[in-house]
Amino acid sequence: MTSAPSSPESPERQLPAAFLEMLADYPSLAGLPEALLSPPDVSVRLNAAKGAVPDAGADVVPWCPQGIYLTDRPAFTFDPALHQGLYYVQDASSMILDYVARRIAADKQPLRWLDACAAPGGKSTAILSALPDGSLLVANEIVRKRAAALMENLERWGFANVAVTSTDTEAFTRLPDFFDVVSVDAPCSGEGMMRKEAVAVSQWSPALVQQCAQLQREIVANVWQSLRPGGFLVYSTCTFNPDEDERNVAWIMQELGAESVDLGLDRLPGVVGAIEGRAHCARFLPGKVRGEGLFIAVLQKNGDSSDGNRRPKKSKKTAVKATKPLSDWLTGDFAILPDSFRAVPAHLAPAIMQLAQEVPLLTAGIDAAAAKGRDIIPSYALARAIDLNISVFHTAEVDYATAIAYLRGMPITVPDAPRGIILLTFRGRPLAFAKNIGTRANNLIPDNRLILSPHIPSTPPSIL
């Protein structure tokens, strides 16, 4: 049944009747129609690896120590700290991936983790921040345009232990037992986004729900083969209906031989459990938590782990040890992938090369440099890398106006700086590289990273 609005203008009338009928069947979902009409909270997750931590008294997300709620939504685009990768704008419910990753990695052993539906990158960056040293994250996105956004966000976050692929998940069947953990934030009917995105309301239908449920099973079945026995599957959606949620978890358990894992997610503040079945599931419901709708469950693949298929296979091409100048520009032991300036942690190079033999690789590690004639110059991405060796560069601190001018692609002036490549800093942290020619410093920012909007706010945003 549907709620009875008092007038044709009542917001409840905007939600599909069949959707409201579905909600009415489950007492745990009571109150959602009203909650979906309220303004969403604004939250960001800080990058602790770059020294960004919540201030004393910050309104911290209960399940993510680096997540904070904001009192309003500033013009994030015009905050240099965003471009420096000091924080990621993310809904608080999605920050549960930080909590899940830390629980799975509690023994601090390195993991290979596949984020199978990764764009735009919020969950991938959360996983990276939580993984133990020595781990590898493979972030996959089938849609190339969305994969470009994924690469940009991962570049900002600055971690080197990541590879980005863009392929149908069927390709991962060629890597049996390769991963310790696979997360599937599955394409869904988007019910949990109805208060943020009008299209989530306009496109919804019972047929779409069934179409999504089937696609979700296909994706899980594909990536399941790449998960080693004993490994973990993290399944999530941003929707409420059980067809895409609990019933798909039940299907995974019955058809693929998985066991439900209790990480205590449904005992977190405001979080509720499954609305049907016995699997350990967690639901983040607007009105009960300060975040959008999200469903999540963790499952474990039966069987004993074997490393037989995890040993790197021989490749026609091999990564080579980083040499100068890249070896000077980075701290740690890095290797360079063939035909590129992409620097990856040396111990991960064999696994990344094996991955590249089976799955189209868009990028990996840090795209650290570019060739300009006979010169090799540091890249825009390198300035965001956590492993950047700041000490080998001449640095020049810039003010807010200069930082924004640079990010808009304009030439800037850096007084008293030497000629040549200089590293610009903002509030003491790396911002970008520029080539100082004396009268001005030429901009080295790629066109696809420029701030295009000319509407600079009168008051600079300040999150940190």
Side-chain angles (χ1 to χ4, degrees), residues 18 29 37 71 95 102 117 139 143 182 206 220 236 271 313 316 343 388 440 442 456:
L29 304 183
L37 304 169
T71 56
M95 295 182 196
R102 293 184 194 279
C117 310
V143 180
V182 175
V220 170
S236 61
V271 180
K313 300 177 182 178
K316 294 180 180 179
L388 172 68
R440 68 177 188 277
N442 287 339
I456 303 174

Side-chain angles (χ1 to χ4, degrees), residues 242-265:
D243 285 333
E244 298 178 71
D245 295 340
E246 285 90 350
R247 291 168 194 167
N248 268 352
V249 170
W251 179 87
I252 295 168
M253 295 171 66
Q254 180 176 342
E255 298 298 325
L256 301 181
E259 293 185 4
S260 176
V261 177
D262 183 9
L263 295 184
L265 304 182

Side-chain angles (χ1 to χ4, degrees), residues 255-446:
E255 298 298 325
L256 301 181
E259 293 185 4
S260 176
V261 177
D262 183 9
L263 295 184
L265 304 182
D266 59 347
R267 297 187 289 279
L268 293 170
V271 180
V272 301
I275 60 176
E276 66 178 48
R278 296 183 178 180
H280 299 289
C281 306
R283 287 177 167 273
F284 293 72
L285 304 175
K288 290 185 170 63
V289 299
R290 295 168 60 190
E292 297 308 299
L294 183 138
F295 170 91
I296 190 167
V298 180
L299 302 108
Q300 188 168 26
K301 188 174 185 177
N302 289 325
D304 295 327
S305 176
S306 170
D307 65 356
N309 288 310
R310 293 164 56 83
R311 296 169 186 159
K313 300 177 182 178
K314 291 184 178 180
S315 171
K316 294 180 180 179
K317 295 183 177 182
T318 58
V320 298
K321 185 176 178 60
T323 58
K324 293 180 181 297
L326 267 63
S327 60
D328 292 335
W329 294 350
L330 293 162
T331 60
D333 188 14
F334 280 85
I336 306 301
L337 297 183
D339 306 318
S340 76
F341 292 108
R342 289 177 290 178
V344 299
H347 71 282
L348 295 178
I352 291 173
M353 294 299 296
Q354 182 179 354
L355 173 75
Q357 290 183 78
E358 305 296 344
V359 180
L361 186 68
L362 291 186
T363 190
I366 305 162
D367 201 0
K372 294 289 185 181
R374 296 182 179 180
D375 297 328
I376 298 176
I377 63 172
S379 70
Y380 184 68
L382 180 64
R384 281 140 187 73
I386 291 167
D387 297 290
L388 172 68
N389 185 5
I390 300 174
S391 66
V392 301
F393 297 100
H394 180 91
T395 60
E397 178 75 4
V398 297
D399 60 15
Y400 177 76
T402 304
I404 292 300
Y406 181 98
L407 293 169
R408 294 181 64 200
M410 301 166 62
I412 60 174
T413 301
V414 185
D416 302 323
R419 291 176 179 265
I421 300 297
I422 56 175
L423 175 62
L424 306 179
T425 62
F426 178 74
R427 295 182 178 174
R429 293 187 173 102
L431 175 69
F433 290 100
K435 184 174 183 180
N436 191 34
I437 60 174
T439 56
R440 68 177 188 277
N442 287 339
N443 203 299
L444 299 181
I445 186 171

Side-chain angles (χ1 to χ4, degrees), residues 133-155:
D133 291 343
S135 298
L136 171 66
L137 174 71
V138 177
N140 179 70
E141 173 54 48
I142 187 173
V143 180
R144 283 300 179 98
K145 185 175 181 180
R146 286 172 54 82
L150 171 65
M151 287 192 291
E152 179 178 351
N153 286 322
L154 289 171
E155 173 193 293

